[in-house]
């Protein structure tokens, strides 16, 4: 079998895990016979309108009230197939999800767009690292464990589908939307790591959604804002962009999410992939042999809306006809459902096509055990319960194994030397700053700087602290120290935000003595393309501005632990996979 053949190229550690994950995922649902009975019984009782409703998934956040909430309640009563959670309060959102589940006659997909776990949507929940930091690991065993823990977290919070992992290969440093969401630019590592993540979630009874087909990594346009065009020929696409998706299909992917991309080599008309029959039916379904659920990305994204000549109400029908099963977040569910029903009456589409899609959706629901279990979310202690010690322990372990040394060697503190920690915090350019809950972790530069200092002082209590002010007096003062540690606590890790270090700050740092200087950058490794990093002494990439990374980076600086990480992308003249050795 292809699946067994592919396993031979995966590490020994993961081979055992693959079997465990597949077995556990099957156990989570009903047996084959029972699943068939459940599906057929459900198909018999569903009206045509309810079958159409099963194709749709709407977004819900606790900020939706009044008319918006009433529309969503009506959609649930009509038999909507699923709900994707938008940002919100964990307790309020869970309470409403329970109400939705009580009203649903057919089990709902409760979906999360949680690439780094539930913390991507619930800010009170600690987040795992973005995938690019995970790409600094050397093997996938911790990725499988992370997927398993994210799966358990999802089930506890009511989610049965997570729209992750990202399997795009980020080989374009200027990519404004994938970038740090990718495991990096190494095709085989992206494939192995993303499969490990998917199988870990499956082992906990949660379906993943491999995205964004046919591959969003080598683009310089954000499909939320415009239509990216991928100009490569079929040979290149087969060898790179499509490769991870083929391997995910062989490894047992439940769902693939299609992006909004124009790929002339796959569809000469330039039609966005989410409404392209050559890409969804001819390629993904027929040629690549995918038998699972095809889900669109959000149907309101401008890449699709501006890239077609359709109205937003017509787009879901076009996606249906192209081959999609789940129609995610249309602008107007009711209007789009009416258009699909009208197309049925006019025989533009057939009942056989509709039934085939609904059966695929119901099969996955049965596989996840949604017909067999109490799906209500326990609200008892939900906030406290969402901060899970096993998750925090793994976040610490991942942090310690991903710190990446690109130049120099950290040295142990020497008795009698004067050490100073200079914190640069550009708080004006944060993606979002908040405290988190229970101190875990928040995206607050002051909190991260405090943790970095606290950990430095565990191993050298004499470390002094300064906050960068850029004055000549501060520069002269710092020159007198035997050891200078600079922490860049920025959180501008995405390309569409400016993650540069300002020129005046760099000039200040370039003036410091390199042989006494250690620099720790809590951000995107592509920063190496934008600075003269060799002038900044010992240089450590710490990837994200979190307390977990602050603790790990401080331990590396103090030579308590080695820097295990490797670069997940090529940057600053260094190759992908690089780490500094003398």
């Amino acid at each position: 079998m292809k699946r067994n053949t592919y396993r031979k190229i995966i590490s020994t550690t993961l081979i055992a895990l693959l079997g465990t994950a597949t077995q556990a995922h099957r156990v989570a649902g009903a047996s084959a016979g029972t699943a068939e009975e459940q599906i057929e019984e459900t198909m018999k009782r569903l009206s045509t309108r309810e079958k159409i409703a099963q194709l749709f998934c709407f977004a819900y956040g606790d900020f939706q009230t009044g008319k918006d909430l009433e529309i969503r309640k009506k959609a649930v009563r009509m038999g909507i197939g699923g709900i994707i959670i938008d940002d919100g309060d964990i307790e309020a959102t869970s309470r409403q999800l329970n109400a939705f589940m009580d009203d649903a006659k057919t089990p709902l997909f409760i979906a999360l767009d949680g690439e780094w776990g539930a913390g991507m949507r619930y800010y009170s929940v600690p987040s795992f690292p973005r995938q690019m930091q995970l790409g600094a690991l050397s093997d996938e065993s911790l990725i499988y464990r992370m997927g398993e823990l994210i799966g358990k977290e999802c089930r506890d919070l009511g989610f049965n589908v997570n729209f992750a992992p990202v399997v795009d290969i980020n080989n374009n440093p200027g990519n404004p939307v994938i970038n740090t969401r990718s495991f990096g630019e190494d095709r085989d590592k992206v494939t192995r790591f993303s499969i490990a993540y998917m199988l870990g979630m499956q082992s906990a009874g949660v379906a993943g959604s491999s995205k964004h087909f046919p591959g969003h990594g080598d683009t310089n346009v954000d499909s939320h804002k415009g239509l990216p065009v991928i100009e490569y020929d079929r040979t290149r696409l087969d060898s790179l962009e499509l490769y991870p998706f083929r391997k995910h299909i062989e490894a047992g992917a439940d769902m693939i999410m299609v992006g909004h991309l124009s790929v002339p080599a796959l569809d000469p008309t330039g039609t966005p992939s989410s409404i392209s029959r050559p890409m969804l039916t001819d390629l993904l379904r027929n040629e690549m042999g995918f038998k699972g659920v095809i889900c669109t990305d959000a149907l309101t994204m401008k890449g699709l809306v501006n890239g077609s000549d359709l109205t937003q109400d017509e787009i879901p029908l076009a996606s249906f006809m192209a081959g999609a099963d789940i129609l995610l977040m249309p602008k107007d569910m009711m209007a789009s459902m009416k258009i699909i029903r009208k197309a049925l009456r006019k025989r533009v589409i057939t009942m056989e096509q509709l039934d085939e899609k609904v059966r695929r959706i119901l099969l996955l629901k049965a596989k996840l055990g949604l017909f067999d279990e109490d799906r209500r979310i326990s609200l008892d202690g939900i906030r406290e319960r969402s901060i899970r010690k096993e998750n925090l322990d793994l976040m610490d372990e991942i942090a310690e194994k991903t710190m990446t040394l690109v130049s120099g060697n950290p040295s142990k503190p020497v008795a009698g030397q004067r050490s100073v920690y200079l914190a640069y915090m550009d708080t004006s350019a944060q993606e979002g700053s908040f405290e988190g809950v229970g101190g875990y972790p928040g995206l607050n530069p002051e909190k991260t700087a405090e943790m970095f200092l606290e950990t430095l002082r565990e191993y050298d209590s004499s470390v002094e602290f300064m906050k960068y002010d850029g004055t000549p007096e501060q520069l002269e003062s710092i020159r007198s120290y035997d050891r200078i540690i600079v922490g860049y606590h920025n959180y501008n890790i995405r390309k569409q935000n400016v993650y540069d270090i300002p020129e005046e700050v760099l000039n200040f740092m370039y003036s410091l003595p390199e042989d006494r200087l250690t620099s720790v950058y809590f951000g995107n490794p592509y920063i190496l393309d934008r600075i003269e990093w060799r002038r900044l002494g010992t240089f450590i990439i710490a990837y994200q501005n979190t307390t977990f990374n602050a603790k790990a980076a401080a331990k590396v600086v103090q030579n308590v632990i080695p820097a295990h990480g490797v670069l997940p992308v090529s940057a600053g003249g260094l190759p992908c996979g690089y780490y500094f050795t003398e």
Side-chain angles (χ1 to χ4, degrees), residues 418 466 475-484 513 516:
R418 294 183 67 216
M466 288 187 192
L475 178 58
E476 290 310 309
S477 171
I478 287 176
R479 289 185 191 281
S480 66
Y481 287 88
D482 302 304
R483 192 161 173 255
I484 305 163
R516 288 180 271 157

Side-chain angles (χ1 to χ4, degrees), residues 391-452:
N391 289 23
L392 300 177
D393 289 344
L394 184 58
M395 290 170 194
D396 276 328
E397 185 175 359
I398 290 172
E400 291 193 357
K401 291 185 177 179
T402 52
M403 296 299 100
T404 304
L405 180 67
V406 297
S407 66
N409 276 313
S411 58
K412 291 183 179 180
V414 177
Q417 72 177 4
R418 294 183 67 216
S419 299
V420 63
Y421 158 42
L422 177 64
Y424 169 64
M425 295 176 281
D426 184 4
T427 56
S428 66
Q430 302 302 305
E431 287 184 355
S433 180
F434 53 92
E435 299 296 328
V437 169
Y440 303 108
L443 300 180
N444 184 306
E446 285 84 2
K447 291 289 184 183
T448 309
E450 288 173 12
M451 179 60 75
F452 190 51

Side-chain angles (χ1 to χ4, degrees), residues 49-162:
R49 188 178 73 168
E50 289 171 331
K51 288 179 181 178
I52 294 170
Q54 277 294 300
L55 308 177
F56 285 84
C57 185
F58 67 70
Y60 172 76
D62 61 27
F63 55 86
Q64 287 159 330
T65 58
K67 184 179 179 181
D68 284 345
L69 180 56
E70 289 307 312
I71 290 172
R72 282 158 177 76
K73 289 179 178 178
K74 180 180 179 182
V76 169
R77 292 192 293 270
M78 288 174 60
I80 200 80
I83 301 168
I84 177 174
I85 295 307
D86 211 330
D87 300 349
D89 175 78
I90 189 171
E91 189 169 350
T93 301
S94 297
R95 186 176 293 108
Q96 183 58 58
L97 285 178
N98 280 342
F100 285 146
M101 285 188 276
D102 286 343
D103 288 344
K105 290 185 289 184
T106 303
L108 293 161
F109 283 135
I110 305 295
L112 173 74
D113 189 10
E115 295 164 20
W116 41 92
M120 187 167 170
R121 298 300 165 193
Y122 292 147
Y123 284 169
S124 60
V125 180
S127 293
F128 283 93
R130 288 181 179 235
Q131 288 184 192
M132 188 169 285
Q133 180 174 347
L134 298 170
L137 293 167
S138 295
D139 70 71
E140 58 269 38
S141 57
L142 292 183
I143 307 295
Y144 179 91
R145 177 65 175 150
M146 183 195 76
E148 182 180 42
L149 292 182
I150 286 176
K152 290 179 178 178
E153 178 180 77
C154 283
R155 293 292 292 200
D156 187 50
L157 298 177
F159 303 109
N160 44 61
V161 172
N162 187 12

Side-chain angles (χ1 to χ4, degrees), residues 290-363:
F290 181 55
K291 301 187 185 305
V293 173
I294 298 176
C295 176
T296 70
D297 208 339
L299 294 176
T300 53
M301 290 167 61
K302 290 183 180 178
L304 173 59
V305 174
N306 297 344
S308 73
D309 58 0
L310 303 171
T311 69
Q312 290 204 43
D313 293 342
E314 294 170 332
I315 282 173
L317 173 60
S319 192
F320 176 109
M321 294 174 68
D325 302 312
I326 293 179
L327 307 172
L328 184 65
M329 298 169 62
K331 183 177 181 182
D332 186 331
M333 286 179 294
M334 303 305 176
S336 295
M337 288 165 67
K338 288 178 182 177
I339 288 174
I340 291 178
R341 192 166 186 181
K342 184 177 179 180
L344 268 174
R345 289 199 301 269
K346 292 189 172 185
R347 298 186 180 181
V348 175
I349 57 176
T350 67
M351 184 59 72
E352 288 75 19
Q353 289 174 309
L354 176 60
D355 285 351
E356 183 180 15
K357 293 175 188 293
V358 175
R359 279 195 172 90
R360 270 195 290 267
I361 290 167
L362 296 178
L363 176 61

Side-chain angles (χ1 to χ4, degrees), residues 135-138 189 401-409 528 533 539-541 543 562-571 573-582:
L137 293 167
S138 295
K189 176 178 273 193
K401 291 185 177 179
T402 52
M403 296 299 100
T404 304
L405 180 67
V406 297
S407 66
N409 276 313
L528 298 173
W533 53 271
F539 199 95
I540 299 165
I541 297 290
Y543 295 97
H564 292 282
V566 301
L567 281 178
V569 293
S570 53
L574 302 174
C576 177
Y578 174 87
Y579 62 96
F580 179 81
T581 55
E582 286 193 307

